[in-house]
């Protein structure tokens, strides 16, 4: 067998780059499946011993198989079986530093639907009573939940340089034993579960689709980035939950300015 052909095919499969809006991740096992299919094809063996025309046939075979696989993966609908929750603009309640006008830390573009969130080092909390860190976030109201399966879907964007900021949360009831069920933090270009597991590398300067699924009864949370599973964890139960997104400044590895942008935020639910 041609010792050059197989590495070349593997590299071609691994180098496929989807669009930012509908990403497809070809993992190691998927790449191996595609490679096995290619090597099993009769045209593959003809190409190894043939001339330029045969090798062109091999290229077309590779592309057709990869595109067919990508199409099937990208067609997976993470919201299938869920019911979309109606959200009005009044459900998007902004929390921002109390000592500056809201429009200096938050903006909403009616044309693009993009919400932009900023926090500077030295900013105050969102009110004069709390002892928490500064934030500019949306707290989704009127859709707190205590049972069933709930999902938030949206497109996020984190500019290069932002570090030490939570960009999405599942928050628990005020005064609960634990403040949050989930926090997704950005540290130096990596999206993490709190400051632990890596959820997604290379998060800067690109739009990514985020799906967060919380099964209350099972006490589990699953996170998907661009349609690919990135995190599945057991979580501690709490009496009440709600979604937040934006920026919440942390305690370490914090940049002087933290920023995130969000659009097309949608909430779904699936009762038991």
């Amino acid at each position: 067998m041609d010792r050059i052909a197989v590495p070349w095919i593997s590299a071609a499969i691994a180098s496929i780059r989807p669009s930012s809006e509908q990403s497809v991740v070809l993992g190691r096992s998927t790449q191996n499946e595609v490679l096995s299919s290619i090597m099993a094809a009769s045209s593959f063996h003809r190409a190894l011993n043939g001339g330029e025309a045969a090798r062109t046939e091999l290229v077309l075979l590779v592309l057709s198989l990869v595109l067919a696989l990508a199409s099937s993966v990208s067609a997976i609908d993470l919201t299938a079986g869920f019911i979309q929750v109606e959200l009005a603009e009044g459900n998007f309640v902004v929390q921002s530093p109390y000592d500056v006008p809201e429009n200096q830390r938050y903006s909403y573009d009616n044309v693009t639907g993009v919400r932009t969130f900023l926090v500077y080092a030295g900013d105050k909390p969102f009110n004069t009573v709390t002892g928490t860190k500064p934030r500019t976030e949306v707290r989704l109201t009127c859709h707190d939940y205590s049972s069933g399966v709930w999902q938030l879907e949206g497109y996020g964007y984190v500019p290069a340089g932002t570090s030490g900021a939570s960009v999405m949360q599942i928050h628990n009831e005020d005064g609960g034993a634990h403040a949050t069920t989930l926090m997704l933090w950005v540290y130096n270009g990596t999206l993490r579960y709190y400051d632990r597991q890596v959820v997604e590398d290379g998060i800067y300067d690109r739009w990514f689709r985020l799906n967060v699924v919380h099964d209350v009864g099972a006490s589990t949370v699953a996170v998907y980035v661009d349609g690919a599973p990135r995190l599945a964890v057991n979580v501690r139960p709490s009496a009440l939950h709600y979604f937040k997104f934006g920026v919440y400044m942390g305690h370490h590895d914090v940049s002087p300015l933290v920023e995130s942008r969000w659009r097309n935020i949608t909430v779904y639910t699936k009762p038991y």
Side-chain angles (χ1 to χ4, degrees), residues 149-170:
V149 184
W150 288 74
Q151 178 174 178
L152 180 138
E153 180 181 66
Y155 289 87
Y157 183 100
V158 180
T162 288
S163 183
S166 170
V167 295
M168 187 271 165
Q169 303 182 42
I170 299 176

Side-chain angles (χ1 to χ4, degrees), residues 42-58:
S42 60
S43 57
F44 172 78
H45 297 282
R46 290 198 304 272
L48 292 181
N49 300 310
E52 187 64 29
R55 291 184 182 275
T56 300
E57 184 181 357
L58 176 59

Side-chain angles (χ1 to χ4, degrees), residues 202-263:
I203 206 70
Y204 284 155
D205 293 339
R206 65 182 180 93
W207 285 102
F208 58 92
R209 178 163 58 93
L210 182 72
N211 292 76
V212 175
V213 182
H214 183 196
D215 187 326
V216 178
S219 294
T220 60
V221 169
V223 177
Y224 301 80
V225 178
D226 293 326
R230 287 293 185 252
L231 180 74
V233 291
N234 295 315
V235 295
R236 293 172 293 197
S238 197
L240 198 69
H241 311 276
Y242 54 87
F243 294 120
K244 302 184 77 175
F245 61 96
V247 283
Y248 176 81
M249 188 167 278
H251 297 275
H252 63 87
D253 296 307
V254 180
S255 55
L257 167 66
V258 295
E259 177 182 352
S260 75
R261 305 167 197 168
W262 292 89
R263 60 181 174 83

Side-chain angles (χ1 to χ4, degrees), residues 31 69 130 172-173 248 252:
Q31 292 176 31
L69 178 65
T130 182
N172 299 334
E173 76 278 9
Y248 176 81
H252 63 87

